[in-house]
Amino acid sequence: MDTAISIAVDQALAYIKTKTDAIPSVGIILGSGLSGIGDAFPGVSMDYHEIPGFPRPTVAGHRGVLKVGPQAAIFLGRFHFYEGNPMSTVVFPILLMKKWGVKTIVLTNAAGGVNPNFIPGQLVLINDHINFQGTNAFMGAHDPQWGPRFFDMTTTYTPALRDKIQKIAKEKLGKSLDEGVYMGFTGPCYETPAEVRMASVLGASLVGMSTVPEAIAARSCGLDLAAISVCTNLAAGISKTELNHAEVVEFGKKAEASLQTILTGLVADLS
Ligand code: HPA
């Protein structure tokens, strides 16, 4: 990772610290159509564009606001590779949280269901991933402040956190969440039916266009990590209809209440 990234992280943090003294223990990144969950958490809001080093998300459904409360930092909107961002920008919020002292990262996203039993609008707890984006944010110059050159990915999605989330789901939603492997594509097109069949053969339950780079960054930085998908649609070829972004946002909204319940429960548990 370039030293310019380290400088940008320092600038961003210095700015954030002029707005709040909080060092939240949990950082949550909200994906497509899920920004409304930010309203459930108290805190000081900053537009990404006012924070040095922060590009502004361009995709509909992403607001581009950082909300910092005593317990949780909420990133309303993320940076995608398909927007043309370098991978270092995609993982920027994770690096920032590492330097800030945040201990636990929770990633959320909208994803297509490869498992035909999934129902649009349901939550799926990610237990592993396949990086199919063809690159890695940590290629190039090695900066030891973000972790070792080579790092293990065996327990990227922290088992103890997954257990906590399942306990909260059982208590507050009456049932545990389905779990699955997320396969990250670059986008911005949705997958072809043949690609979805490939994903299925390779053991993926979900396909999406985010999360994998941030998960790799969290792991490199030694942060605890959980990731929850909203399965907004069945993936191409499994779905009877063509896919579109409006549907993704609409089904994202359907899952907002249950996702919010899990996230507020988890933040309370971890604080
Ligand atoms: N594929 C990739 N990304 C997605 C999908 C999908 O089917 N649905 C929501 N995000």
Side-chain angles (χ1 to χ4, degrees), residues 113-197:
V114 174
N115 180 338
N117 298 320
F118 287 167
I119 297 162
Q122 79 162 83
L123 302 178
V124 182
L125 183 61
I126 298 176
N127 56 24
D128 205 349
H129 75 226
I130 298 171
N131 180 7
F132 202 66
Q133 296 188 330
T135 187
N136 192 303
F138 291 87
M139 283 161 52
H142 175 233
D143 184 341
Q145 72 180 310
W146 312 125
R149 169 88 288 188
F150 303 105
F151 48 100
D152 179 80
M153 295 288 290
T154 309
T155 51
T156 302
Y157 299 87
T158 314
L161 265 183
R162 275 158 41 205
D163 290 347
K164 269 192 206 301
I165 288 171
Q166 291 295 27
K167 197 160 159 267
I168 293 166
K170 270 188 225 148
E171 273 171 24
K172 307 227 158 137
L173 303 176
K175 57 180 174 11
S176 55
L177 304 182
D178 286 330
E179 297 198 13
V181 173
Y182 176 100
M183 186 160 176
F185 287 73
T186 62
C189 60
Y190 296 112
E191 300 71 28
T192 64
E195 287 164 349
V196 171
R197 285 195 296 278

Side-chain angles (χ1 to χ4, degrees), residues 48 55-59 62-65 76-80 83:
Y48 286 177
R56 206 176 186 166
T58 56
V59 69
H62 290 257
R63 281 181 5 198
V65 171
L76 300 113
R78 58 151 52 83
F79 305 112
H80 297 90
E83 291 173 274

Side-chain angles (χ1 to χ4, degrees), residues 110-113 189-191 207-209 232-236 243 248:
C189 60
Y190 296 112
E191 300 71 28
V207 286
M209 307 176 194
T232 53
N233 56 278
L234 290 176
L243 313 186
V248 167

